[in-house]
């Protein structure tokens, strides 16, 4: 958040979004390559593991908050869809938290 606030002070909102999308995209390209030979239904197999718990919120934020086009990340897009079918993951969404802004 500190980096985003700094960038926000220096550039226009559209440039901030492009900057964020570029850097998230770099990380997602690396994740696609890393998980390519390990993913099953979820990031590291057919059961939910710690990697999924950390990855799900990152995917959610990239898609909803930063409007990242996921077409170039088919594996991560598939994982995001799989996470959206897990009730506990849906219950953990930011907007479903008691302190979420209305």
């Amino acid at each position: 958040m500190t980096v985003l606030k700094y960038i926000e002070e220096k550039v226009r909102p559209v440039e901030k979004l492009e900057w964020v999308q570029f850097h998230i995209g770099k990380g997602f390209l690396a994740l696609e390559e890393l998980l390519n030979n390990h993913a099953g239904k979820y990031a590291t197999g057919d059961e939910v593991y710690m990697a999924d718990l950390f990855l799900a919120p990152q995917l959610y934020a990239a898609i909803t908050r930063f409007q990242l086009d996921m077409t170039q990340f088919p594996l991560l897009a598939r994982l995001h869809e799989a996470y959206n079918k897990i009730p506990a993951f849906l219950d953990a969404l930011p907007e479903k938290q008691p302190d979420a802004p209305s």
Side-chain angles (χ1 to χ4, degrees):
M1 291 302 297
T2 303
V3 173
L4 285 178
K5 286 183 183 186
Y6 175 81
I7 295 296
E8 201 169 65
E9 293 171 0
K10 304 294 181 192
V11 301
R12 295 176 297 143
V14 69
E15 292 171 312
K16 172 190 153 191
L17 186 61
E18 291 170 356
W19 185 90
V20 170
Q21 289 172 339
F22 172 78
H23 288 284
I24 291 172
K26 283 176 55 175
F28 279 11
L29 282 173
L31 279 171
E32 282 275 322
E33 185 176 324
L34 178 70
L35 296 176
N36 192 41
N37 294 323
H38 303 287
K41 183 175 181 181
Y42 303 111
T44 57
D46 291 331
E47 300 291 329
V48 173
Y49 289 104
M50 290 298 292
D52 302 296
L53 301 180
F54 290 104
L55 185 55
Q58 299 304 315
L59 293 172
Y60 178 82
I63 294 166
T64 59
R65 183 171 179 201
F66 300 115
Q67 297 87 47
L68 189 68
D69 177 10
M70 294 298 288
T71 57
Q72 58 187 325
F73 312 111
L75 174 58
L76 295 177
R78 182 181 62 75
L79 292 175
H80 178 67
E81 292 302 316
Y83 299 149
N84 283 338
K85 295 177 182 167
I86 301 173
F89 279 45
L90 295 174
D91 290 342
L93 293 175
E95 63 269 15
K96 293 198 175 179
Q97 301 314 301
D99 61 346
S102 48

